Amino acid sequence: MSETAAPASLAAPHAPSAPRRRGLASVALTGARVVLALFLGFSAVAKLVAHASAVESFDRMGWGSGAMYTIGGLELAGALALLIPLLAGVGAIALVGLFAGASVVQLTLLDPPNAVMPVLLIALAVLIARDGRERTRDLSALIRGRGRGPRAGQWTKR
């Protein structure tokens, strides 16, 4: 045996666990993306149909219906982006801004203890964005005209 080669008994136990851990993390983040998209979808629909609870919240803030519809539209766009693997990273990055704004609004205009929830959602969105960074790079290259276009399964098998 050469001095640089590791014995098979030392290398084998560690090799299979790395891909499995990555797979479990990817499955967990995919589940989190779907749950977050559903949460945002319901929140967006409440704003877009002017549900009484949404109207009351925006009245408490002193904001008009235009702001409510705009935020509802942004939430819906973010929810849809999370469900499309190619757009999930970009959508998560955009949602960080939306959640940061929600946290500031909770702290200053509504209920300060409720500002914790948007902060937790920021952490989740950062993890989703990090997980989708390769697809985000592909999308960026494609938009700049440097991409070669989609190959079979290019954006679905990562």
Side-chain angles (χ1 to χ4, degrees):
M1 175 162 43
S2 78
E3 293 177 18
T4 59
S9 62
L10 293 178
H14 301 290
S17 64
R20 179 172 162 76
R21 231 179 291 134
R22 172 66 187 134
L24 289 175
S26 185
V27 168
L29 282 172
T30 299
R33 276 187 12 229
V34 170
V35 170
L36 183 57
L38 288 172
F39 171 77
L40 286 169
F42 286 120
S43 177
V45 167
K47 291 172 181 71
L48 294 174
V49 301
H51 189 270
S53 63
V55 171
E56 190 249 326
S57 291
F58 279 82
D59 284 345
R60 279 181 59 200
M61 292 185 286
W63 296 3
S65 61
M68 180 178 66
Y69 293 127
T70 300
I71 292 171
L74 291 171
E75 287 178 347
L76 185 60
L80 293 174
L82 288 176
L83 295 175
I84 301 169
L86 180 61
L87 300 176
V90 173
I93 291 167
L95 287 170
V96 167
L98 192 65
F99 296 148
S103 185
V104 169
V105 166
Q106 286 290 341
L107 282 170
T108 59
L109 300 175
L110 294 174
D111 303 312
N114 291 338
V116 171
M117 181 57 120
V119 171
L120 295 175
L121 293 176
I122 287 171
L124 178 59
V126 166
L127 290 174
I128 291 169
R130 187 175 189 282
D131 186 57
R133 68 187 176 276
E134 288 180 33
R135 288 188 188 118
T136 301
R137 269 189 239 122
D138 291 345
L139 179 61
S140 176
L142 186 63
I143 289 170
R144 284 190 245 138
R146 296 183 192 152
R148 294 177 294 226
R151 294 184 303 271
Q154 176 182 1
W155 294 315
T156 58
K157 294 183 181 178
R158 285 213 176 132

